Amino acid sequence: MTNFNCEQTQTRVFDFLSNEIDEQSKQGVLGHIASCPKCELEYEIERKISRAVSSSSSDPDSAVRFFTQVSDRLRNED
Ligand SMILES: [Zn+2]
C-alpha cells in the first residue's frame, strides 16, 4: 500500500475532494490522514471550503447577498 508523506497528501487533498484522483492516490491520502492529525485538519478545512463553494455555485445569489450585506455593514459603521 502507498504511504504518502505530508506534502504528497496535502497536494492531493483538493483533487481527492474533487474526485479527480486515482484509486491508489485516494488510498494513500486516506491512509495518511488517518495517522496524521495535521493533515486530517487540512483535509477537514479543504472539505468545508469545497462544500461551501459547491453549495454557493448551486445558489450563486446567496454568495452575492452575503458580500453585499458585509459591505453594507462596513459602510454603515462609518
Ligand atoms: Zn501529514
Side-chain angles (χ1 to χ4, degrees):
M1 181 175 156
T2 322
N3 265 328
F4 280 2
N5 62 28
C6 291
E7 198 189 338
Q8 287 174 311
T9 300
Q10 290 180 15
T11 57
R12 284 169 178 81
V13 162
F14 188 77
D15 289 340
F16 177 85
L17 291 165
S18 318
N19 273 321
E20 288 169 2
I21 195 170
D22 59 276
E23 192 60 33
Q24 200 186 7
S25 299
K26 193 183 267 189
Q27 295 304 321
V29 170
L30 285 174
H32 183 83
I33 62 175
S35 61
C36 179
K38 204 181 93 182
C39 290
E40 190 187 5
L41 184 67
E42 188 78 19
Y43 166 78
E44 285 297 326
I45 292 167
E46 293 283 351
R47 193 165 62 92
K48 280 178 186 150
I49 292 170
S50 75
R51 195 178 279 179
V53 168
S54 63
S55 68
S56 70
S57 68
S58 66
D59 182 14
D61 285 351
S62 71
V64 173
R65 261 200 310 273
F66 176 75
F67 287 118
T68 306
Q69 281 170 1
V70 170
S71 61
D72 280 355
R73 198 155 55 210
L74 290 174
R75 255 200 305 271
N76 290 336
E77 278 171 7
D78 283 339

